[in-house]
Amino acid sequence: MDSEVSNGSDLRNEYITNLLVLDFLQSFSDCKFHQELRTLGQELPVRTYLEGEREDELQTDGNRASLFMGRIEADSESQEEVIQNIARHLAQVGDEMDRSIQPELVNELVARFMNAGLSEEDRSNCLDTTLKAAMQTYPKDMENEKTMLIMTMLLAKKVANHTPSLLHDVFRATVNFINQNLFTYVRDLVRNEMD
């Protein structure tokens, strides 16, 4: 596979996941990390990537390529809106699930994230371990991938709410975890909403 194609796909995945996690976290008004979230939103290349995508992806037929493989989408703004709507919906479902996450799991995850010596992979593994433990306490009345996606983003919210200074680290670990483990599900959610 051509490395440029691979990198482009990775950028698309990261763009989609950045926007999803950012909008999910912004859906909660009762959080203690609003200032950190505002700063993070300004630092992320979310909209910059879209603008670059519009310029770089002009096809031979004059159409612009979509962020979603194999489809032509003229309006990237509608893609952002779809992702934002998905994030808001997942946050609403997450409100009901929030109470099922045991505080001691969050405290352990916060303690691990406070270790400055952890690599991104280590942080992702910590998130994975905590997610598995949290999944044990939640009823199985929802598809597994959806539950994992919501619980992963809820754990990020809870860590950032506990210690707002960890928002950047937990955000990055969450995006990486989703891209490695749940991105096919996320991409399918977006595709289904756009159809």
Side-chain angles (χ1 to χ4, degrees):
M1 178 186 286
D2 186 337
S3 65
E4 286 183 41
V5 172
S6 176
N7 289 340
S9 179
D10 289 347
L11 287 174
R12 287 183 194 106
N13 295 359
E14 189 165 335
Y15 156 75
I16 291 167
T17 310
N18 279 343
L19 188 57
L20 180 71
V21 175
L22 184 68
D23 287 337
F24 180 89
L25 294 173
Q26 288 174 339
S27 296
F28 297 96
S29 60
D30 62 341
C31 291
K32 299 176 184 173
F33 54 89
H34 283 292
Q35 181 59 40
E36 291 82 356
L37 192 59
R38 190 177 1 246
T39 301
L40 178 67
Q42 292 169 351
E43 292 172 0
L44 288 175
V46 171
R47 277 141 189 93
T48 304
Y49 177 73
L50 261 184
E51 291 163 8
E53 184 75 13
R54 288 184 190 139
E55 293 170 9
D56 296 340
E57 296 290 329
L58 188 62
Q59 303 296 301
T60 56
D61 63 0
N63 289 316
R64 300 206 182 275
S66 166
L67 291 174
F68 308 102
M69 292 50 88
R71 294 191 45 198
I72 301 299
E73 190 66 46
D75 184 10
S76 292
E77 293 297 319
S78 66
Q79 292 170 351
E80 280 188 33
E81 290 172 14
V82 164
I83 294 167
Q84 290 167 348
N85 288 336
I86 291 169
R88 280 190 290 270
H89 170 74
L90 293 174
Q92 289 171 347
V93 175
D95 267 344
E96 297 171 19
M97 297 169 67
D98 197 314
R99 291 177 288 283
S100 71
I101 299 175
Q102 299 168 358
E104 50 276 1
L105 287 176
V106 175
N107 292 338
E108 289 174 25
L109 189 58
V110 167
R112 290 179 183 163
F113 269 75
M114 292 183 85
N115 178 352
L118 287 181
S119 68
E120 281 193 36
E121 184 178 346
D122 291 337
R123 291 179 195 276
S124 188
N125 289 337
C126 291
L127 187 58
D128 183 42
T129 301
T130 305
L131 176 63
K132 287 176 182 170
M135 293 282 289
Q136 299 297 319
T137 64
Y138 193 75
K140 306 279 187 210
D141 63 344
M142 185 185 315
E143 61 188 306
N144 194 48
E145 290 86 359
K146 185 174 185 177
T147 303
M148 286 179 63
L149 179 62
I150 293 170
M151 291 291 258
T152 302
M153 293 189 293
L154 280 175
L155 285 169
K157 173 196 165 222
K158 286 184 165 292
V159 167
N161 215 34
H162 184 283
T163 309
S165 63
L166 291 176
L167 176 65
H168 281 74
D169 292 336
V170 75
F171 183 89
R172 187 84 258 127
T174 301
V175 167
N176 289 339
F177 180 83
I178 291 170
N179 283 343
Q180 292 171 4
N181 299 287
L182 297 165
F183 189 75
T184 300
Y185 178 74
V186 170
R187 185 187 60 220
D188 291 346
L189 274 178
V190 174
R191 282 183 176 165
N192 292 338
E193 284 295 315
M194 295 202 62
D195 286 342

